[in-house]
Amino acid sequence: MTDFITDKLSKALDELENYHTINGEFWKYSQLKAEELLSADDWRLQEILKFRKKVGEIKDDED
């Protein structure tokens, strides 16, 4: 699964680590999903969704 972790995904997650949510807490400590925090066209969300899709495809193949 580490093959799916690209430099761009790592950069997106690094940026989000200290991202503040609406109520002022850090995203990494909140219960919010990335799609609840970021707009649909945000490049960071797009990278996360691509990763989730790849992981989902692998899980489907294993079932």
Side-chain angles (χ1 to χ4, degrees), residues 12-19 27-28 34 37-38 44 48:
L13 294 174
D14 286 347
E15 283 192 18
L16 285 175
E17 185 174 335
N18 294 316
Y19 192 92
W27 176 70
K28 65 182 175 181
L37 184 64
L38 302 170
R44 297 166 294 190
I48 292 168

Side-chain angles (χ1 to χ4, degrees), residues 1-59:
M1 207 167 314
T2 57
D3 295 336
F4 298 149
I5 300 173
T6 63
D7 289 341
K8 199 168 180 180
L9 175 63
S10 292
K11 183 177 179 184
L13 294 174
D14 286 347
E15 283 192 18
L16 285 175
E17 185 174 335
N18 294 316
Y19 192 92
H20 284 86
T21 63
I22 294 167
N23 63 4
E25 64 185 356
F26 287 114
W27 176 70
K28 65 182 175 181
Y29 299 122
S30 77
Q31 297 297 314
L32 294 174
K33 294 181 179 179
E35 50 267 56
E36 295 173 302
L37 184 64
L38 302 170
S39 65
D41 62 343
D42 190 293
W43 72 271
R44 297 166 294 190
L45 178 59
Q46 296 304 312
E47 288 304 309
I48 292 168
L49 295 176
K50 279 194 261 183
F51 174 78
R52 288 181 188 167
K53 182 178 179 183
K54 288 178 184 177
V55 170
E57 290 171 356
I58 294 299
K59 286 184 178 182

